[in-house]
């Protein structure tokens, strides 16, 4: 071998070992990032547990000290996340990401954390404190205003919150609308422009479709659902349904709270709550299935990725797609009740022995414009969300004034749902979101319903006899499909990538529109 060739070989060896050296350093840095993220995640899981307890078992007088515990923890998390050491570490890894030196999984972790970090860093601590203090106070004031059904009680606080949220948008920066800076927290990469297009398509379908339903001659009797249902039995049945669809009680709990919710501290400790109504058994069942749908997602995240974005749910929209798919597409379907209706009859024979499955199915799916979003049916629900989206976007963009809200709310309700709002409590004051500063949250409910219909349609085309399975009380294949296509990926893919990989195309309103048209066309005997 010539001297030149030898020298080249040496050079290659040297370069190779320098590269190895760099990779080791990079791996070390990445391990350090993971360790720091794990610590942060344990702290936020503790926060979530304190919140869970606050909503379920905490005595009333515990509230003041609990608020202080929570804010102390929040400050610790913020400080750790924005510390100079953390900044140095994530900045170095980000430059390696930009050079294309990271593998797919590492790239996902660094990209997601960099994004959160950059946002958090743009918000001064004083701003975060002011926002958290304002919204903590606003919660009580909103509750009082709702109790008195008087918007003017809440108005000054809401004005302050909107001022702060607009400031937040300015601090973090945005394209086109300041609303985009806010929706980004809940549904990364979603924009007001895209959401407007989807919602417009929905509105153009839902408004005339609702008119068709209302002018149909079908009279659905919902009084048949009313009764006197033992709470203990309701609890037992709700648990049974949750377990049957796949909720793992070894890795979860089932409790009661005023507002049903799901809390996932880690994939092996996921808790759901529901509420019971003595006069009607269906709301508890329905909300249990909804929360179990959220919980199945949380239980399906990979334990080994806990602490990093690979072990976190993709977005609120995707989360709502999981709860919505189980609650509506499965839990309000005829196949589902073919299996469960006889069981319901065993629990409440004095009530359901006289009612046919067909009448029960129609009653739980009745379409009736109503004032309260959380009680709305599948057809009108999207209109409730649309109304909030239009209003909150205008508020943040400054094209409407807080003082005009009740009037705008009432006018839009009449326009979209055809009903008059009798008071502020059942109108503009009904939802908690704005008092907590959650602007940009509402659209994720509808986005979730659109994803749900699209996912379910894909699952149905890929699982032979899915509906026969459901009618036989078999939910395993569906859950497996959701695990494989959605749950296990955490944040590895963007929403667009995730939905395209699972269904072959990007989010489209078509599947939801087809689903609603077919289901309610049959129930109401509409010609389509
Ligand atoms: Mg939900």
């Amino acid at each position: 071998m010539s001297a030149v060739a030898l020298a080249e070989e040496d050079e290659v060896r040297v370069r190779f070992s320098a590269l190895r050296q760099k990779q080791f350093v990079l791996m070390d840095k990445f391990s350090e990032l993971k360790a720091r993220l794990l610590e942060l995640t344990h702290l936020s899981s503790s926060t979530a547990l304190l919140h869970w307890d606050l909503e379920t078992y905490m005595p009333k007088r515990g509230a003041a000290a609990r608020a202080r515990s929570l804010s102390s923890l929040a400050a610790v998390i913020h400080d750790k996340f924005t510390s100079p050491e953390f900044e140095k570490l994530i900045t170095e890894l980000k430059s390696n990401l930009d050079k294309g030196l990271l593998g797919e999984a590492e790239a996902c972790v660094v990209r997601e954390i960099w994004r959160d970090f950059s946002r958090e860093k743009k918000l001064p601590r004083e701003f975060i404190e002011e926002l958290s203090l304002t919204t903590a106070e606003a919660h009580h004031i909103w509750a009082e205003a709702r109790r008195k059904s008087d918007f003017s009680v809440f108005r000054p606080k809401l004005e302050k919150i909107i001022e702060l949220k607009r400031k937040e948008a300015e601090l973090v920066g945005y394209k086109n609308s300041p609303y985009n800076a806010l929706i980004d927290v809940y549904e990364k990469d979603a924009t007001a422009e895209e959401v407007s297009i989807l919602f417009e398509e929905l509105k153009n379908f839902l408004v005339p479709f609702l008119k068709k339903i209302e002018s149909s001659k079908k009279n659905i009797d919902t009084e048949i659902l009313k009764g006197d249902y033992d709470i203990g039995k309701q609890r037992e049945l709700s648990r049974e349904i949750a377990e049957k669809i796949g909720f793992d009680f070894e890795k979860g709990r089932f409790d009661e709270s005023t507002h049903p919710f799901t809390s996932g501290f880690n994939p092996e400790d996921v808790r759901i709550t529901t509420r019971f109504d003595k006069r009607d058994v269906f709301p508890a069942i329905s909300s249990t299935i909804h929360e179990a749908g959220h919980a199945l997602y949380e239980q399906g995240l990979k334990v080994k990725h806990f602490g990093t974005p690979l072990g976190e749910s993709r977005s609120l929209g995707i989360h709502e797609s999981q709860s919505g798919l189980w609650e509506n597409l499965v839990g309000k379907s005829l196949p589902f009740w073919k299996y469960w209706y006889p069981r319901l009859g065993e629990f409440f024979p004095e009530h359901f022995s006289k009612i046919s499955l067909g009448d029960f199915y129609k009653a739980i799916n009745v379409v009736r414009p109503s004032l309260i979003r959380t009680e709305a049916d599948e057809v009108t629900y999207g209109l409730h969300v649309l109304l909030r989206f239009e209003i909150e976007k205008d508020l943040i963009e400054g094209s409407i004034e807080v003082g005009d809200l009740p009037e705008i709310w009432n006018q839009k309700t009449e326009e979209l749902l055809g009903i008059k709002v009798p008071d502020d409590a059942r109108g503009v004051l009904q939802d908690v979101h704005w008092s907590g500063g959650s602007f940009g949250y509402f659209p994720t409910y509808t986005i979730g319903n659109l994803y749900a219909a699209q996912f379910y349609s894909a699952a149905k085309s890929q699982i032979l006899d899915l509906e026969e399975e459901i009618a036989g009380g078999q939910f395993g294949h569906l859950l497996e499909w959701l695990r494989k296509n959605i749950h296990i990926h955490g944040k590895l893919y963007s929403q667009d990538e995730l939905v395209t990989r699972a269904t072959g195309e990007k989010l489209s309103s078509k599947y939801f529109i087809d689903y609603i048209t077919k289901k309610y066309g049959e129930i109401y005997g509409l010609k389509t």
Side-chain angles (χ1 to χ4, degrees), residues 115 119 165 168-169 177-196 199 315-316 389 392-393 396 438-444 447 495:
R115 228 179 130 140
R119 185 184 177 98
K165 295 309 279 189
E168 183 179 330
S177 165
Y179 186 76
N180 287 337
L182 306 180
I183 192 171
D184 194 68
V185 174
Y186 307 108
E187 201 65 19
K188 269 180 194 157
D189 298 325
T191 64
E193 298 77 42
E194 281 170 3
V195 173
S196 298
F199 280 24
S315 72
L316 278 189
F389 165 68
E392 64 178 17
K393 183 172 163 288
I396 297 297
S438 299
F439 286 82
Y441 191 115
F442 282 121
T444 68
I447 291 172
Q495 294 93 298

Side-chain angles (χ1 to χ4, degrees), residues 260-262 290-291 294 316 319-320 323-324 327 441 445:
F261 70 101
T262 300
H290 180 96
E291 300 308 330
H294 281 304
L316 278 189
H319 231 306
E320 283 301 323
S323 52
E327 180 195 0
Y441 191 115
Y445 292 127

Side-chain angles (χ1 to χ4, degrees), residues 481-495:
W481 191 91
L482 296 169
R483 289 258 191 270
K484 190 177 79 183
N485 286 285
I486 297 146
H487 304 173
I488 60 165
H489 301 301
K491 283 191 162 95
L492 184 60
Y493 306 117
S494 68
Q495 294 93 298

Side-chain angles (χ1 to χ4, degrees), residues 140 145 147 159 184 340:
H140 300 290
R147 210 165 37 244
E159 279 169 343
D184 194 68
W340 284 104

